[in-house]
Each structure stands twice: as C-alpha cells, then as structure tokens.
Amino acid sequence: MSQLTSEQIAAGEARFILPGENLEVVEGWGGASNSVAYVFRPSTFDEVRSVFELARQSGRTVAFRGAGRSYGDAALNAENAVLDLTRLNRILAWDPAGGTITLEPGVTIRQLWEYVLPHGWWPPVVPGTMYPTLGGCLAMNIHGKNNYREGPIGDHVTEFDLLLPNGDLKRCSRTENVELFDAAVGGFGILGCFTRITLRMKRIYSGLLNVEAITARSLDHMVEIFEQRTAGADYLVGWIDALAGGSHVGRGVIHAANYLAEGADPHPERTLRVESQQLPDRILGILPKSMLWRLMRPFMNNTGVRVVNGLKYHASALLDRGRVVRQSHVEFAFLLDYVPNWKQAYGTGGLIQYQSFIPREHAADVFRRQLVLAQEAGFPPYLAVFKRHRADRFLMTHGVDGYSLALDFRITPRNRRAIWDLAAQLDEIVLASGGRFYFAKDSTLQAQSVEQYLGSDAVERFMRLKRECDPEGILETNLYRRLFGARAGDQILFRGER
Amino acid sequence: MNLPWKHAIVVGASSGIGEAIARRLVRAGCRVALIARRADRLEAICAQLNREAGSEVAIAVGHDVHVHEEIPWLFQNCALRLGGLDAIFYAPGVLPRIAPDEYDTATDVETIQVNLLGAIAWLNQAALRFEKTGRGTIVGIGSIAGDRGRRGNPVYCTSKAALATYLESLRNRLGRRGVKVVTAKPGFIDTEMTHGLTGMIWLISADRAAELILRAARRGRTTAYIPERWRLVGLVVRMIPSFLFRRLNV
C-alpha cells in the first residue's frame, strides 16, 4: 500500500486514528525547540516494522530518536511518529582480543566504554557526553577531540545493517553497498534504521591520560598552538572566552591530552576499572554536583559569564603553565557531563548551539568575525569550544581540513528572532569561506545554505538514495523537512512550518 | 494583536464570532483550521486569508458537529495538517426563535446538539491531547444567558449553563497540567444568530467580541464576560432570589 497524499487524507480516504496515549512533547536537547509526536518505544525490530506499517496506514511519517542528544530538531517529528530506539540496546558480539564489537543502535557511549574498558579498550571516537546512542552517533557521524587524527566515528565502523521502511535489511560496509554506507553514516537517520553496528575499539594501556593546559592569548595564538600540537597530541580541545573583546578576541585555554604508552601506568589493572573512571558526584567532597546548575543560574547573563570567563582564563594562565596532570578518560572526554543538568542553568527558553567548520586557512579570520558579530549584536555565546578537524569520505559530512567553533547561545522568547537573524549572518561568512555545518547541532540553517555547502551534486545523490531506500517517504524529521523539504518535493507529506 | 498560539482549530468558523476569531488568529500569524458545515463559505474565507498571507495558513474543513464519530479523526488530522495544536475555540451556537408557550423537543434537541454536545465532542479530544502534552488553551463560547434560567428560551439557557459547567470541570481537571480553559460569556453580539432580536443593549460587533475573547484567552482568564461590563450584570442577576427573578421580565 502506498502512502496517502495529504489530498487523499483530506478527502477522507484514510481514517486511521493513532493512539492518543502515545502523544508526548518531544524536545531537542537544547530545549529551544520541541513538538508533539506519537512516541513508540519498540523493544524488537519487528515492532519497528509494525510502526512503519502503522505510519503507512495512518498517512504519517516516522522519525528515529536515540537519546535525544541532538541540540535542535533532528529527532523531532511534529504530529507524526517518533521511534525511540533506546530499548534496542543489546551488545551482540564482542571480541576482547581484536577489539571489535557489534551492537544495537540504542547502546549508549556509556554502555560501550564501560563494557570495553576493563579489557583495555576505549571507543576510538567519543563526543563530549557519554549519553548519546551509537545509532544517533552514526546517523550524525559524530566526532571527538581527536577528529584531526581519528576522523569521525564512521571511520571506525566496519559494517552495519540498515532496516529500510519496506522491511528490507541492507548490509553496508566498505565493500558492500558502499554508496549507501557513505550516505547513511551522517545521513541523520533519514535513509533507514541501523539495526546492527560493528565497530573497532582502540587499544589503551591505562585508564588515564596525560593532560596539559596551555593558555592562548588570542584566536591567532590558539590556531598557532593547535598547528604546533596536532602532530604530537592525541586529543586537542580549546575553550574560548567568547566575551573577551578587542585584541583578546578568541583568548582561551587549550587542553592537549595523550594516551599513556604501554608500561607508563604502574597500575593499569586499577585505572582500567569502570569504578576508577567515575566522575565525582560532589565538588570538593561537599557540594552535590546535581545542585551545581542552580548555582550557575545567576551567572547566566552577559556580565556573569564575562566575570566567570575572565577568572577562568586568568586562573589558568597563572596556574596551569605547562603543568601535565593525569586525568581519567571519562573526566577528559565527557566534559559536558561534569555538571549534571547544566543546560537548565540556561533557563526555560533553553539554548542553541551554532557550530561551523572552516578550512584551516580561513578559520582564525572567520571565527574572529563570528565572535565580534555576536558581541556587537549583544548576544555573546556563553560557551565556545574550538576543535581541529579533517576531511572525510562521507556524503553529508561536516568534516573539513580545518577548525570548528561551537557557540552556545541562550534563547529567550525575546531574543529568539534576533539570534536566528544573527545565525543567518554567521552562515554567510561560513559559506563564503567554504565552511560546513553539522546536523546534530543545527537549529537555524536554511535549505539553500545546505545546498550551497554540500554542493548540488551531493544533495542530488543523497536524494536519489532517499528515493531508493524510502520511495514512499516514510522517514522524515522536522530537520529534514526544514532543510530538504523543497528537494523532496511531492514526497513530503506535511507542509506545516517546522 | 500579539497572540501566543501558532496552531489553532476554530469550530464554527464560517460566520459570527467564530469567523472573527479565525480571521484574527490568522492575521496574528497563527495557522488555523477553520471548521464549519457550510463549506462554500469556509472556502471563500480561507481563500481570502491565504491570499492575504501569501501562503497556506488557513485550512478549510467541512464538518457538521452532529457527526461525532468523525471528530477524533478530524481532530488528529487538523493537528497533522497544521503541524501542531496550541488552542481550540468552539463557537457554533444556535438560538432558535421560540414563542413564550412553545415546547418543541426537536428544536430543543437540536439546540443541545449544536451548543453543547458538539462542544463536548470536540473539546474532549482537545482535553485528551492537552492533558498528555501539558499545554494548550481551550475556549468555549457560553453566554450571559447561561447565568440564569430565563423564561425566554429555556433550552438555550440550559445549553449555555451546561457548557459553562462542562468547561469548569475541564478547567479543574486540566488546570494542574498547565492547560488553560476559558469560558467566554458574550452579551449581545451583532451576528446572524442575533439578527432581528429586539431589546439588545450594549451591542458590539463580532470582531470586537473576537478581540475581547482572544485577549481573555491569552491571559488565561477562567470566565470572561464579553464585554467585561456584563460581569456586574451577571453578578447581580445571579444574586436575585428565585421568588423575585420569577416576577421579573427578563
């Protein structure tokens, strides 16, 4: 049975009522966008198939959702079905000698590292939080602080099975269905559902990393340090004080980390235990960290962040000089998990993250202009994170040989319009420099900008694969309609606003 | 007027207060499903609104409020086509002209059907959804006539009193979930329904009534007299003891 068009539905050809008890408000992680959807939580792939069928009968579309850690509207599907895949979270196979693991899409990064660490392995690529699912990570093709070395997570996937809306399973690898492999990784879940993912872990010899903090006086200085360090550091990440102006624009602190070589850790059997990786749940042994966001709340304004950032920068400049400390992998990798519920400090309007990826030669210039534009508009980002990247093979990739800057903007009902306008201004600079964007973070992009940075050829190829994998157009998200709705043409069922 | 809703359903949008509410919603940037029996009039209104807006912001849905069984599906389908739902307005109302000694059950049942049962059938759907999602605004159009059982039109008064009680119950059920339920009680409004009535005081236009209703709904008022000066009248009318009220010519 083919999917009904809106005209047919309006004409009353399908009068299928969806279960009202499945209605939920589904939110993007940043909390600045949400919509109501019929949420289903399957525990088998047969149930996933039956939701496809339900969608067909009721003339609705289906979106996949993992942990809901995408900042914007990537896992929203207004008034349609959302498949929460977090219950499909079994580890299917694990080879502790070779470091290859096969898992279901709902397995989280946390489940993964806790599973492999005691055997002396670590996921080769992890995001800044351990809560996303592997299905989500693969759909977004996430990267870590080692992107310039290890590439995105897709580079470590050997094969996966993709469940198409018609019920077929497609095995994809570097040799089989290669085109689909390169498009589904980073294809934001719009081609099919990962059911079985195989990826390789990285051998480690200690649960600790050597971490060094380096202060950068300006954006140029930061780029200079990154360029010097990329050859020697396993991980590099820069924090930028986005409120610093004038000659200090782009000042911040860089953290460079290295794995410990075999034998460098006297007690690897201890540090490789899951317990030794846990983040402390109290600050200084007293204050419960679950309360910390409440203390941050009063500082979440331009003045407050300016003061805190200034203190942080100068404290680091004074104290950190060349000092190397040992930190657990968890402490270093999952910085965003350090303060539980920190996003609540942004208030009820939530936040958006604006992240752009700029070729190396333009990066310092573009990011300086972005920071100044945001400051001039009166909306300095409250968090700014700088990373080094490399280009990769994936069709819809955000990877470039260059740098990214991720800017967190607090959203309120009053500034919303202005922030979106600011984002449009920032987009222009990015596009002019040959930069790229990232669907996991995006809330503000426009369709024509996506066409421009990906190139018409890439979008054309992607839409061809979409038609092949999902001819009925069952799979949609708010993000897909917002950015590819015009391209999908008549295949798009719902033409409401995002 | 600045309104907080992006997606709304207006039942009874082909004329009178319902039409005026729908027009104001659309002009405030809201996507609206206009629902009424008279499809041709709806189409014309939607065509005009969409032309003004330059995009499809008003959707015409032909429906007779007697047909309860199609309402759950229509409700879901409107939300789908709108891309969401933040508010619903139930405006249909009939005021049959009856003689002082007339007791016609068929007429009375029809009044209850349109004024009350249709409202229950539509607003139950909204209550179901808004309770699940913890947001939303429900607006029912009652009447000052519902404040007392008057001699003029027993069942019209009954239908509006029952509607007010139903809405109060919804409010008490849903209020704690963050849902606003608003009872609007218009006085005399210049619409097709009141056309030819005599002795109307403080008559206002349907558009003015819509403006006042939307303002009250935006504020989440529980009961709003339209215009507000009727509140005092309502208060007095409700306090008159029955033995006196019987003797009055109201």
Side-chain angles (χ1 to χ4, degrees):
Chain A
M1 180 181 164
S2 72
Q3 202 182 5
L4 289 146
T5 66
S6 51
E7 284 76 19
Q8 283 172 308
I9 288 163
E13 286 176 30
R15 300 225 150 183
F16 193 95
I17 297 161
L18 286 164
E21 63 268 23
N22 287 52
L23 272 179
E24 282 179 36
V25 177
V26 184
E27 214 174 51
W29 188 78
S33 55
N34 62 60
S35 55
V36 171
Y38 298 87
V39 180
F40 299 87
R41 296 186 167 77
S43 52
T44 66
F45 287 104
D46 280 342
E47 285 173 53
V48 172
R49 286 187 174 89
S50 66
V51 173
F52 290 153
E53 194 47 43
L54 187 74
R56 240 174 232 116
Q57 286 170 4
S58 60
R60 309 276 168 147
T61 64
V62 177
F64 303 123
R65 184 176 173 91
R69 286 269 157 171
S70 283
Y71 279 60
D73 53 358
L76 307 185
N77 197 11
E79 301 302 322
N80 286 279
V82 167
L83 268 171
D84 178 329
L85 299 173
T86 51
R87 290 173 73 188
L88 293 157
N89 63 346
R90 292 173 306 173
I91 289 167
L92 302 172
W94 165 233
D95 165 22
T100 300
I101 193 163
T102 301
L103 30 81
E104 289 185 336
V107 170
T108 63
I109 294 285
R110 177 185 195 155
Q111 249 180 298
L112 176 60
W113 75 255
E114 288 185 353
Y115 201 83
V116 302
L117 181 79
H119 303 278
W121 301 91
W122 183 255
V125 172
V126 295
T129 161
M130 63 172 100
Y131 298 110
T133 61
L134 267 297
C137 286
L138 210 51
M140 290 302 176
N141 202 14
I142 59 106
H143 59 261
K145 302 171 187 39
N146 54 2
N147 189 241
Y148 57 94
R149 273 206 170 182
E150 299 284 350
I153 196 163
D155 278 348
H156 304 272
V157 172
T158 53
E159 65 171 37
F160 57 79
D161 286 348
L162 196 67
L163 175 65
L164 306 184
N166 67 7
D168 287 354
L169 267 185
K170 279 241 191 231
R171 176 149 303 180
C172 302
S173 70
R174 309 305 170 94
T175 50
E176 200 175 347
N177 293 312
V178 184
E179 193 183 20
L180 190 52
F181 182 95
D182 289 344
V185 173
F188 51 97
I190 220 68
L191 298 178
C193 176
F194 299 109
T195 59
R196 202 188 53 90
I197 302 163
T198 301
L199 63 167
R200 278 203 208 95
M201 297 294 103
K202 183 174 180 67
R203 172 60 86 188
I204 53 172
Y205 302 99
S206 166
L208 300 174
L209 294 166
N210 283 330
V211 181
E212 186 184 349
I214 311 129
T215 314
R217 295 181 303 272
S218 66
L219 206 49
D220 284 322
H221 191 207
M222 185 160 285
V223 171
E224 191 187 315
I225 297 170
F226 263 76
E227 290 298 304
Q228 289 164 6
R229 296 280 180 145
T230 40
D234 291 319
Y235 295 96
L236 274 174
V237 61
W239 165 81
I240 286 180
D241 173 7
L243 282 96
S247 60
H248 302 298
V249 170
R251 75 175 180 188
V253 181
I254 296 162
H255 284 96
N258 284 86
Y259 296 110
L260 271 57
E262 196 170 1
D265 182 350
H267 300 290
E269 71 290 347
R270 260 187 244 162
T271 61
L272 286 170
R273 285 168 55 200
V274 171
E275 299 75 53
S276 62
Q277 294 284 325
Q278 299 300 9
L279 295 170
D281 60 357
R282 284 168 191 271
I283 299 263
L284 307 171
I286 309 163
L287 183 73
K289 280 207 310 193
S290 56
M291 303 287 292
L292 200 53
W293 69 267
R294 292 178 198 276
L295 299 181
M296 289 161 63
R297 185 86 190 256
F299 296 95
M300 283 309 225
N301 50 62
N302 290 1
T303 316
V305 176
R306 184 189 304 278
V307 170
V308 172
N309 279 4
L311 287 174
K312 184 172 163 178
Y313 172 79
H314 289 293
S316 173
L318 269 174
L319 305 173
D320 285 339
R321 293 178 173 270
R323 204 158 56 95
V324 175
V325 294
R326 286 203 172 162
Q327 263 188 343
S328 73
H329 282 272
V330 165
E331 232 176 317
F332 178 78
F334 306 125
L335 221 56
L336 291 177
D337 302 333
Y338 200 76
V339 179
N341 300 321
W342 61 268
K343 70 172 172 175
Q344 292 188 37
Y346 279 82
T348 50
L351 72 148
I352 65 162
Q353 185 173 95
Y354 182 93
Q355 186 173 22
S356 52
F357 299 73
I358 308 293
R360 190 175 51 84
E361 61 275 23
H362 302 302
D365 180 48
V366 165
F367 293 142
R368 191 180 306 108
R369 285 163 64 197
Q370 285 188 350
L371 288 168
V372 169
L373 264 175
Q375 290 172 358
E376 284 174 356
F379 305 116
Y382 290 172
L383 180 67
V385 175
F386 188 71
K387 289 196 292 275
R388 182 76 168 93
H389 299 271
R390 76 177 191 200
D392 56 63
R393 56 185 282 170
F394 299 98
L395 185 60
M396 306 297 268
T397 188
H398 56 273
V400 296
D401 178 11
Y403 290 89
S404 77
L405 182 62
L407 306 170
D408 287 7
F409 292 99
R410 180 179 180 176
I411 302 298
T412 65
R414 294 176 92 183
N415 78 6
R416 195 179 176 94
R417 191 68 258 157
I419 296 277
W420 257 251
D421 290 346
L422 172 64
Q425 274 181 283
L426 302 181
D427 288 351
E428 275 177 40
I429 313 176
V430 174
L431 293 169
S433 73
R436 286 177 170 261
F437 300 96
Y438 185 16
F439 298 123
K441 303 293 181 65
D442 180 52
S443 299
T444 58
L445 270 178
Q446 291 157 9
Q448 65 270 26
S449 310
V450 172
E451 188 96 15
Q452 202 178 328
Y453 86 76
L454 286 170
S456 296
D457 285 354
V459 175
E460 201 72 66
R461 275 177 63 197
F462 187 74
M463 295 312 292
R464 177 174 54 71
L465 284 165
K466 170 73 175 166
R467 285 190 295 273
E468 285 169 20
C469 293
D470 181 19
E472 303 160 286
I474 296 266
L475 303 180
E476 283 186 9
T477 62
N478 284 14
L479 179 138
Y480 177 67
R481 285 188 287 268
R482 172 164 62 91
L483 299 180
F484 298 90
R487 269 286 187 170
D490 295 337
Q491 230 197 1
I492 290 280
L493 171 73
F494 155 61
R495 292 182 175 281
E497 54 156 46
R498 58 184 149 87
Chain B
M1 190 167 18
N2 214 341
L3 296 174
W5 311 291
K6 286 183 174 164
H7 322 273
I9 290 176
V10 180
V11 187
S14 62
S15 65
I17 298 177
E19 179 189 346
I21 288 174
R23 287 182 182 277
R24 280 189 169 266
L25 284 167
V26 168
R27 286 178 184 143
C30 187
R31 288 169 61 88
V32 182
L34 290 82
I35 297 176
R37 188 167 34 90
R38 294 172 288 191
D40 49 332
R41 289 176 66 158
L42 269 189
E43 298 283 356
I45 295 166
C46 287
Q48 189 208 343
L49 288 170
N50 290 334
R51 207 165 41 242
E52 271 177 33
S55 64
E56 210 208 357
V57 287
I59 305 165
V61 180
H63 160 71
D64 183 335
V65 297
H66 293 79
V67 190
H68 297 168
E69 56 276 16
E70 72 177 8
I71 292 173
W73 179 82
L74 273 179
F75 181 84
Q76 282 193 354
N77 191 247
C78 284
L80 173 67
R81 292 175 68 193
L82 294 170
L85 186 70
D86 316 309
I88 183 165
F89 297 80
Y90 188 85
V94 290
L95 174 60
R97 305 294 186 269
I98 60 167
D101 57 352
E102 182 180 348
Y103 300 95
D104 180 51
T105 304
T107 306
D108 292 345
V109 167
E110 172 63 12
T111 305
I112 294 288
Q113 279 283 1
V114 175
N115 295 7
L116 180 63
L117 297 182
I120 293 173
W122 273 98
L123 302 184
N124 273 349
Q125 292 303 313
L128 200 69
R129 175 189 169 105
F130 292 162
E131 180 157 38
K132 283 296 291 178
T133 57
R135 50 163 80 165
T137 302
I138 294 174
V139 182
I141 316 286
S143 168
I144 52 163
D147 279 357
R148 279 313 276 266
R150 293 155 199 255
R151 59 175 68 186
N153 200 325
V155 175
Y156 182 75
C157 291
T158 303
S159 71
K160 292 300 185 180
L163 180 63
T165 305
Y166 167 74
L167 291 169
E168 185 187 11
S169 289
L170 283 194
R171 186 180 307 128
N172 294 338
R173 276 192 168 198
L174 302 174
R176 66 195 67 183
R177 296 280 292 123
V179 180
K180 293 173 184 168
V181 182
V182 182
T183 311
K185 291 186 176 180
F188 294 107
I189 314 294
D190 187 11
T191 63
E192 286 171 33
M193 192 181 85
T194 59
H195 199 70
L197 281 187
T198 54
M200 291 193 286
I201 56 164
W202 297 343
L203 187 73
I204 59 171
S205 71
D207 184 56
R208 174 68 180 154
E211 184 184 3
L212 295 172
I213 290 166
L214 288 168
R215 193 177 292 166
R218 182 180 58 185
R219 289 187 192 147
R221 298 276 301 276
T222 53
T223 301
Y225 284 85
I226 309 295
E228 198 52 37
R229 64 174 80 162
W230 283 103
R231 182 177 294 277
L232 192 64
V233 178
L235 188 73
V236 172
V237 162
R238 270 181 285 123
M239 285 199 320
I240 299 173
S242 196
F243 72 90
L244 258 181
F245 197 76
R246 218 178 302 154
R247 289 171 172 78
L248 295 176
N249 201 12
V250 291

